[in-house]
Amino acid sequence: MVTLADFQTDFVAFVISAAVVAAYYGFLNFKVRDNPTYSIHGVNALARRLWVENVMRDASKGIMAVQTLRNFIMGSSLMASTAALLIIGTLTLSGQADHIAQNWHVLSLKGSFATELWIVKVMFLLLDFIVAFFAFAMSVRLANHVVFMLNVPEHTAHHNLSPKAVARRMQRAGNMFAIGMRAFFFAVPLVFWLFGPYFLLISSIGLVIALYQLDRCESEDAHEANLRPASVAVRPASPQIVPMQTKYSK
């Protein structure tokens, strides 16, 4: 008979992994308060706002704006389709718990391979992919709204069509795309959790280290300062060139 004590290792590993990820995002929010462009998300938000204002200020850039948004929508649609396929695959995986739950725990030193716990793990993974699908679908929806709002000639007729209002909607589309990508990243520890609780801990720590490297946006001055000693070399003094006629005329 399976008891709650059998799930203790997996429960502790899940709590520690969630605490590590929460601590990282707490640190990131603390840094962003002082410097909004500390993370790449802040830089992207600034770029989207300036891009919308520039396009709505210059009517000749309408075609470029529509093409850019089309590429953005195509990317979001592709990721939403990928999330839908992953949802179907996860549902298929849940129906094979009796056959593969014990086999996948061969490398696990500790932890339960009970069918009930396997279903819980698969449900967490399924929920993660559903969040990703919803986020990418909302990104497509918001970007479709922006396509029509960018080319409105009389945008001053209503406050919801002003460049700032359109930029806010574009920001929401970008944020939804970022949430969907984060959900894909969080699926990595959840997949490793299927193999055991210690794999969940290791993959969560590795994910936080990778996100720390990807989320930071170094300033240009610091980047140039790091490259200057290696890129600037001391050139030797060039020898003085003496014309042949002058050399042999004496």
Side-chain angles (χ1 to χ4, degrees):
M1 181 178 179
V2 180
T3 61
L4 294 178
D6 298 331
F7 303 153
Q8 182 177 0
T9 305
D10 290 272
F11 178 76
V12 173
F14 179 79
V15 171
I16 295 176
S17 300
V20 169
V21 175
Y24 166 72
Y25 275 98
F27 166 78
L28 187 63
N29 290 331
F30 175 77
K31 299 293 290 186
V32 168
R33 288 180 183 177
D34 298 331
N35 182 16
T37 58
Y38 174 82
S39 69
I40 192 63
H41 304 288
V43 177
N44 290 337
L46 177 62
R48 284 191 291 264
R49 179 176 63 83
L50 296 178
W51 178 78
V52 170
E53 294 178 355
N54 185 33
V55 168
M56 297 189 70
R57 192 183 306 116
D58 188 358
S60 62
K61 297 182 179 180
I63 298 178
M64 179 271 296
V66 172
Q67 291 178 346
T68 303
L69 285 174
R70 180 195 62 184
N71 296 335
F72 178 82
I73 292 173
M74 288 176 60
S76 299
S77 302
L78 175 63
M79 301 307 291
S81 302
T82 304
L85 293 176
L86 291 174
I87 290 173
I88 297 174
T90 305
L91 291 174
T92 304
L93 188 66
S94 64
Q96 303 175 1
D98 296 333
H99 303 285
I100 62 178
Q102 187 173 359
N103 295 333
W104 284 29
H105 280 72
V106 172
L107 299 178
S108 180
L109 300 178
K110 203 170 183 180
S112 174
F113 50 85
T115 305
E116 295 83 359
L117 181 60
W118 174 270
I119 295 299
V120 172
K121 294 178 181 180
V122 173
M123 286 182 62
F124 273 105
L125 185 61
L126 179 63
L127 179 62
D128 182 79
F129 289 142
I130 290 176
V131 171
F133 174 79
F134 178 80
F136 287 125
M138 286 296 298
S139 178
V140 173
R141 171 180 175 269
L142 293 170
N144 276 322
H145 294 173
V146 176
V147 169
F148 294 96
M149 294 178 179
L150 279 178
N151 295 324
V152 175
E154 300 294 337
H155 57 79
T156 58
H158 199 276
H159 62 277
N160 285 330
L161 298 177
S162 63
K164 290 184 178 181
V166 178
R168 285 196 300 268
R169 192 167 291 271
M170 187 64 197
Q171 294 286 19
R172 293 176 184 174
N175 292 337
M176 284 296 174
F177 188 90
I179 291 174
M181 292 302 301
R182 293 290 152 155
F184 276 177
F185 293 157
F186 292 152
V188 175
L190 293 176
V191 169
F192 275 100
W193 192 19
L194 299 175
F195 295 91
Y198 294 115
F199 293 102
L200 172 64
L201 282 174
I202 296 173
S203 59
S204 298
I205 295 174
L207 177 63
V208 169
I209 295 174
L211 291 179
Y212 177 74
Q213 298 295 328
L214 295 174
D215 287 340
R216 288 188 305 164
C217 184
E218 297 181 357
S219 61
E220 189 68 21
D221 296 337
H223 184 66
E224 291 180 355
N226 293 332
L227 293 180
R228 189 176 295 114
S231 60
V232 179
V234 179
R235 296 183 179 179
S238 58
Q240 185 177 2
I241 300 175
V242 180
M244 296 294 294
Q245 295 178 356
T246 306
K247 183 176 180 180
Y248 296 102
S249 60
K250 296 182 180 179

CSV table of all heavy atoms in Angstrom, one decimal, residues 174-205:
chain,number,residue,atom,x,y,z
A,174,GLY,N,4.3,40.7,-26.6
A,174,GLY,CA,5.6,40.3,-26.4
A,174,GLY,C,5.8,39.5,-25.0
A,174,GLY,O,6.5,38.6,-24.9
A,175,ASN,N,5.1,40.0,-24.0
A,175,ASN,CA,5.1,39.4,-22.7
A,175,ASN,C,4.5,38.0,-22.8
A,175,ASN,O,5.0,37.0,-22.1
A,175,ASN,CB,4.4,40.2,-21.7
A,175,ASN,CG,5.1,41.5,-21.4
A,175,ASN,OD1,6.3,41.6,-21.6
A,175,ASN,ND2,4.4,42.5,-20.9
A,176,MET,N,3.4,37.8,-23.5
A,176,MET,CA,2.8,36.5,-23.6
A,176,MET,C,3.7,35.5,-24.4
A,176,MET,O,3.8,34.4,-24.0
A,176,MET,CB,1.5,36.6,-24.4
A,176,MET,CG,0.3,37.2,-23.6
A,176,MET,SD,-0.1,36.1,-22.2
A,176,MET,CE,-1.2,37.0,-21.3
A,177,PHE,N,4.4,36.0,-25.4
A,177,PHE,CA,5.4,35.2,-26.0
A,177,PHE,C,6.5,34.8,-25.1
A,177,PHE,O,7.0,33.6,-25.1
A,177,PHE,CB,6.0,35.9,-27.2
A,177,PHE,CG,6.9,35.1,-28.1
A,177,PHE,CD1,6.3,34.4,-29.2
A,177,PHE,CD2,8.2,35.0,-27.9
A,177,PHE,CE1,7.1,33.6,-30.0
A,177,PHE,CE2,9.0,34.2,-28.7
A,177,PHE,CZ,8.5,33.5,-29.7
A,178,ALA,N,7.0,35.7,-24.2
A,178,ALA,CA,8.0,35.4,-23.3
A,178,ALA,C,7.5,34.4,-22.2
A,178,ALA,O,8.3,33.5,-21.8
A,178,ALA,CB,8.5,36.7,-22.6
A,179,ILE,N,6.3,34.5,-21.8
A,179,ILE,CA,5.7,33.5,-20.9
A,179,ILE,C,5.6,32.1,-21.5
A,179,ILE,O,5.9,31.1,-20.8
A,179,ILE,CB,4.3,34.0,-20.4
A,179,ILE,CG1,4.4,35.2,-19.5
A,179,ILE,CG2,3.6,32.9,-19.6
A,179,ILE,CD1,3.1,35.8,-19.2
A,180,GLY,N,5.2,32.1,-22.7
A,180,GLY,CA,5.2,30.8,-23.4
A,180,GLY,C,6.6,30.1,-23.5
A,180,GLY,O,6.7,28.9,-23.3
A,181,MET,N,7.6,30.9,-23.8
A,181,MET,CA,9.0,30.4,-23.9
A,181,MET,C,9.4,29.9,-22.5
A,181,MET,O,10.1,28.9,-22.4
A,181,MET,CB,9.9,31.4,-24.4
A,181,MET,CG,9.7,31.7,-25.9
A,181,MET,SD,9.8,30.3,-27.0
A,181,MET,CE,11.5,29.8,-26.7
A,182,ARG,N,9.1,30.7,-21.4
A,182,ARG,CA,9.4,30.3,-20.1
A,182,ARG,C,8.8,29.0,-19.7
A,182,ARG,O,9.4,28.1,-19.0
A,182,ARG,CB,9.0,31.4,-19.1
A,182,ARG,CG,9.8,32.7,-19.3
A,182,ARG,CD,11.3,32.5,-18.8
A,182,ARG,NE,12.1,33.4,-19.5
A,182,ARG,CZ,13.3,33.8,-19.0
A,182,ARG,NH1,13.7,33.4,-17.9
A,182,ARG,NH2,14.1,34.6,-19.7
A,183,ALA,N,7.6,28.8,-20.1
A,183,ALA,CA,6.9,27.5,-19.9
A,183,ALA,C,7.6,26.4,-20.5
A,183,ALA,O,7.7,25.3,-19.9
A,183,ALA,CB,5.4,27.6,-20.3
A,184,PHE,N,8.1,26.6,-21.7
A,184,PHE,CA,8.9,25.5,-22.4
A,184,PHE,C,10.2,25.2,-21.6
A,184,PHE,O,10.6,24.1,-21.5
A,184,PHE,CB,9.2,26.0,-23.8
A,184,PHE,CG,8.2,25.6,-24.8
A,184,PHE,CD1,8.3,26.0,-26.1
A,184,PHE,CD2,7.0,25.0,-24.4
A,184,PHE,CE1,7.3,25.7,-27.1
A,184,PHE,CE2,6.0,24.7,-25.4
A,184,PHE,CZ,6.2,25.1,-26.7
A,185,PHE,N,10.8,26.3,-21.1
A,185,PHE,CA,12.0,26.1,-20.3
A,185,PHE,C,11.7,25.3,-19.0
A,185,PHE,O,12.5,24.5,-18.6
A,185,PHE,CB,12.7,27.5,-19.9
A,185,PHE,CG,13.2,28.2,-21.1
A,185,PHE,CD1,13.4,29.6,-21.1
A,185,PHE,CD2,13.5,27.5,-22.3
A,185,PHE,CE1,13.9,30.3,-22.2
A,185,PHE,CE2,14.0,28.2,-23.4
A,185,PHE,CZ,14.2,29.6,-23.3
A,186,PHE,N,10.6,25.7,-18.4
A,186,PHE,CA,10.3,25.0,-17.1
A,186,PHE,C,9.9,23.5,-17.3
A,186,PHE,O,9.9,22.7,-16.4
A,186,PHE,CB,9.1,25.7,-16.4
A,186,PHE,CG,9.5,27.1,-15.9
A,186,PHE,CD1,8.5,28.1,-15.8
A,186,PHE,CD2,10.8,27.4,-15.5
A,186,PHE,CE1,8.8,29.3,-15.3
A,186,PHE,CE2,11.1,28.6,-15.1
A,186,PHE,CZ,10.2,29.6,-15.0
A,187,ALA,N,9.6,23.2,-18.6
A,187,ALA,CA,9.2,21.8,-18.9
A,187,ALA,C,10.5,20.9,-18.8
A,187,ALA,O,10.3,19.7,-18.6
A,187,ALA,CB,8.6,21.7,-20.3
A,188,VAL,N,11.6,21.5,-18.9
A,188,VAL,CA,12.9,20.6,-18.8
A,188,VAL,C,13.0,20.0,-17.4
A,188,VAL,O,13.2,18.7,-17.3
A,188,VAL,CB,14.1,21.5,-19.1
A,188,VAL,CG1,15.4,20.7,-18.9
A,188,VAL,CG2,14.0,22.0,-20.6
A,189,PRO,N,12.9,20.7,-16.3
A,189,PRO,CA,13.0,20.0,-15.0
A,189,PRO,C,11.8,19.1,-14.8
A,189,PRO,O,12.0,18.0,-14.2
A,189,PRO,CB,13.0,21.2,-14.0
A,189,PRO,CG,13.4,22.4,-14.7
A,189,PRO,CD,12.9,22.2,-16.1
A,190,LEU,N,10.6,19.4,-15.3
A,190,LEU,CA,9.5,18.5,-15.1
A,190,LEU,C,9.7,17.2,-15.8
A,190,LEU,O,9.2,16.1,-15.4
A,190,LEU,CB,8.2,19.2,-15.6
A,190,LEU,CG,7.8,20.4,-14.8
A,190,LEU,CD1,6.5,21.1,-15.4
A,190,LEU,CD2,7.5,20.0,-13.3
A,191,VAL,N,10.3,17.3,-17.0
A,191,VAL,CA,10.6,16.0,-17.7
A,191,VAL,C,11.6,15.2,-17.0
A,191,VAL,O,11.5,13.9,-16.8
A,191,VAL,CB,11.1,16.3,-19.2
A,191,VAL,CG1,11.6,15.1,-19.8
A,191,VAL,CG2,9.9,16.9,-20.0
A,192,PHE,N,12.6,15.8,-16.4
A,192,PHE,CA,13.6,15.1,-15.7
A,192,PHE,C,13.1,14.5,-14.4
A,192,PHE,O,13.6,13.5,-13.8
A,192,PHE,CB,14.8,16.0,-15.4
A,192,PHE,CG,15.9,16.0,-16.5
A,192,PHE,CD1,15.9,17.1,-17.4
A,192,PHE,CD2,16.8,15.0,-16.7
A,192,PHE,CE1,16.8,17.1,-18.4
A,192,PHE,CE2,17.7,15.0,-17.7
A,192,PHE,CZ,17.7,16.1,-18.6
A,193,TRP,N,12.0,15.1,-13.9
A,193,TRP,CA,11.4,14.6,-12.7
A,193,TRP,C,10.8,13.3,-12.9
A,193,TRP,O,10.6,12.5,-12.0
A,193,TRP,CB,10.3,15.6,-12.2
A,193,TRP,CG,9.7,15.4,-10.9
A,193,TRP,CD1,10.3,14.6,-9.9
A,193,TRP,CD2,8.5,15.9,-10.3
A,193,TRP,NE1,9.6,14.6,-8.7
A,193,TRP,CE2,8.4,15.4,-9.0
A,193,TRP,CE3,7.5,16.7,-10.8
A,193,TRP,CZ2,7.4,15.7,-8.2
A,193,TRP,CZ3,6.4,17.0,-10.0
A,193,TRP,CH2,6.4,16.5,-8.7
A,194,LEU,N,10.4,13.0,-14.1
A,194,LEU,CA,9.9,11.6,-14.4
A,194,LEU,C,10.9,10.5,-14.2
A,194,LEU,O,10.5,9.4,-14.0
A,194,LEU,CB,9.4,11.6,-15.9
A,194,LEU,CG,8.3,12.6,-16.3
A,194,LEU,CD1,8.0,12.5,-17.8
A,194,LEU,CD2,7.0,12.3,-15.5
A,195,PHE,N,12.2,10.9,-14.2
A,195,PHE,CA,13.3,9.9,-14.0
A,195,PHE,C,13.7,9.8,-12.5
A,195,PHE,O,14.4,8.9,-12.2
A,195,PHE,CB,14.5,10.3,-14.8
A,195,PHE,CG,14.2,10.2,-16.3
A,195,PHE,CD1,13.8,11.3,-17.0
A,195,PHE,CD2,14.4,9.0,-17.0
A,195,PHE,CE1,13.6,11.2,-18.4
A,195,PHE,CE2,14.2,8.9,-18.3
A,195,PHE,CZ,13.8,10.0,-19.0
A,196,GLY,N,13.2,10.8,-11.7
A,196,GLY,CA,13.6,10.7,-10.3
A,196,GLY,C,13.7,12.1,-9.7
A,196,GLY,O,13.9,13.1,-10.4
A,197,PRO,N,13.6,12.2,-8.3
A,197,PRO,CA,13.6,13.5,-7.7
A,197,PRO,C,15.0,14.2,-7.8
A,197,PRO,O,15.0,15.5,-7.9
A,197,PRO,CB,13.3,13.2,-6.2
A,197,PRO,CG,13.6,11.7,-6.1
A,197,PRO,CD,13.4,11.1,-7.4
A,198,TYR,N,16.1,13.4,-7.7
A,198,TYR,CA,17.4,14.1,-7.8
A,198,TYR,C,17.7,14.7,-9.2
A,198,TYR,O,18.3,15.7,-9.3
A,198,TYR,CB,18.5,13.1,-7.5
A,198,TYR,CG,18.4,12.6,-6.0
A,198,TYR,CD1,18.2,11.3,-5.7
A,198,TYR,CD2,18.7,13.5,-5.0
A,198,TYR,CE1,18.1,10.9,-4.4
A,198,TYR,CE2,18.6,13.1,-3.7
A,198,TYR,CZ,18.3,11.8,-3.4
A,198,TYR,OH,18.3,11.4,-2.1
A,199,PHE,N,17.1,14.1,-10.2
A,199,PHE,CA,17.2,14.7,-11.5
A,199,PHE,C,16.5,16.0,-11.6
A,199,PHE,O,16.9,16.9,-12.3
A,199,PHE,CB,16.7,13.7,-12.6
A,199,PHE,CG,17.5,12.5,-12.7
A,199,PHE,CD1,17.2,11.3,-12.2
A,199,PHE,CD2,18.7,12.5,-13.5
A,199,PHE,CE1,17.9,10.1,-12.3
A,199,PHE,CE2,19.5,11.4,-13.6
A,199,PHE,CZ,19.1,10.2,-13.0
A,200,LEU,N,15.4,16.1,-10.9
A,200,LEU,CA,14.6,17.4,-10.8
A,200,LEU,C,15.5,18.5,-10.2
A,200,LEU,O,15.5,19.6,-10.7
A,200,LEU,CB,13.3,17.1,-10.0
A,200,LEU,CG,12.5,18.4,-9.7
A,200,LEU,CD1,12.0,19.1,-10.9
A,200,LEU,CD2,11.4,18.0,-8.8
A,201,LEU,N,16.2,18.2,-9.1
A,201,LEU,CA,17.0,19.2,-8.4
A,201,LEU,C,18.1,19.6,-9.3
A,201,LEU,O,18.4,20.8,-9.5
A,201,LEU,CB,17.5,18.6,-7.1
A,201,LEU,CG,16.6,18.5,-5.9
A,201,LEU,CD1,17.3,17.8,-4.8
A,201,LEU,CD2,16.2,19.9,-5.5
A,202,ILE,N,18.8,18.7,-9.9
A,202,ILE,CA,20.0,19.0,-10.8
A,202,ILE,C,19.5,19.9,-12.0
A,202,ILE,O,20.2,20.9,-12.3
A,202,ILE,CB,20.7,17.8,-11.2
A,202,ILE,CG1,21.3,17.0,-10.0
A,202,ILE,CG2,21.8,18.1,-12.2
A,202,ILE,CD1,21.9,15.7,-10.3
A,203,SER,N,18.5,19.5,-12.6
A,203,SER,CA,18.0,20.2,-13.8
A,203,SER,C,17.5,21.6,-13.4
A,203,SER,O,17.6,22.5,-14.2
A,203,SER,CB,16.9,19.4,-14.5
A,203,SER,OG,15.8,19.1,-13.7
A,204,SER,N,16.9,21.7,-12.3
A,204,SER,CA,16.4,23.0,-11.8
A,204,SER,C,17.5,24.0,-11.6
A,204,SER,O,17.5,25.2,-12.0
A,204,SER,CB,15.5,22.9,-10.6
A,204,SER,OG,14.4,22.1,-10.8
A,205,ILE,N,18.6,23.5,-10.9
A,205,ILE,CA,19.7,24.4,-10.7
A,205,ILE,C,20.4,24.7,-12.0
A,205,ILE,O,20.8,25.9,-12.2
A,205,ILE,CB,20.7,23.7,-9.7
A,205,ILE,CG1,20.1,23.5,-8.4
A,205,ILE,CG2,22.0,24.4,-9.6
A,205,ILE,CD1,20.9,22.6,-7.4
